[in-house]
Amino acid sequence: MGMFNNMDVGGGVADFWSYIREPRPHRWAIWGVAVALTWVVFHGVSEYLIPYEKPKPQIIYFENWKATRGEAEIRADWVARAKETTRRNAEKRAEYQRFADSMGIEYDSSEADKVTRETLGAEEAAAAKKKPAPSQARSTLAERAARGAPPAPADQPRR
């Protein structure tokens, strides 16, 4: 520990400067390679190892209302937005319910369903809760086998 108490930085810098000033063969070529290699390493790290994505321009739309809009119009707009949010929540809750049923997990949404029925009405709440039609473009191998469809030829690539 005593060795680091009396550090002579000036002497070290002077020794380094005298070493650099000595005329050696190829000293400028070595300096050029050292500087170029340092630049390549730092540039490579900053360019390729630390990715930077330029922010993409965004278009943000907002609603513009008349200054003469009445309180009834404002309330009607609030109610419409609240009903839309409630409908989306009911659809999402139905998805969670189907997932919980498939996994065998107990999931009770009866209290939330009651609020949805009160907000939207019974018909619209039931429509939001019903299972959507599957949008499967291709049939599975098991479905084709069940229908008795011929298997794909061996020379045809699979998708």
Side-chain angles (χ1 to χ4, degrees):
M1 190 70 170
M3 181 171 73
F4 292 111
N5 289 340
N6 300 328
M7 287 190 346
D8 183 18
V9 176
V13 170
D15 287 347
F16 179 69
W17 185 249
S18 65
Y19 176 78
I20 287 176
R21 293 188 56 198
E22 288 179 18
R24 300 180 186 282
H26 312 294
R27 113 176 129 163
W28 293 114
I30 292 171
W31 271 105
V33 168
V35 169
L37 190 61
T38 305
W39 181 83
V40 165
V41 167
F42 277 99
H43 179 72
V45 166
S46 68
E47 191 73 24
Y48 300 108
L49 292 183
I50 304 171
Y52 170 73
E53 268 189 45
K54 291 175 85 171
K56 297 180 176 83
Q58 290 182 325
I59 299 175
I60 300 172
Y61 296 98
F62 60 94
E63 294 185 40
N64 197 4
W65 296 289
K66 302 179 293 199
T68 59
R69 198 166 75 129
E71 194 169 317
E73 287 179 276
I74 294 171
R75 289 194 184 283
D77 191 36
W78 286 351
V79 168
R81 275 189 274 166
K83 283 186 175 184
E84 177 62 26
T85 302
T86 302
R87 187 188 59 72
R88 276 197 311 266
N89 288 345
E91 289 172 358
K92 195 59 125 171
R93 208 169 37 253
E95 287 179 29
Y96 286 137
Q97 183 69 57
R98 286 190 289 276
F99 177 68
D101 292 344
S102 70
M103 298 294 284
I105 301 170
E106 187 175 328
Y107 178 76
D108 183 24
S109 64
S110 58
E111 193 67 33
D113 291 341
K114 184 178 128 198
V115 173
T116 302
R117 278 192 303 278
E118 290 171 0
T119 306
L120 299 178
E123 301 86 27
E124 196 170 338
K129 195 167 172 102
K130 79 176 183 105
K131 188 173 183 177
S135 61
Q136 190 174 7
R138 297 185 345 228
S139 59
T140 64
L141 184 61
E143 290 170 342
R144 287 192 298 257
R147 287 195 304 259
D155 60 301
Q156 186 179 8
R158 290 180 177 238
R159 292 184 187 188

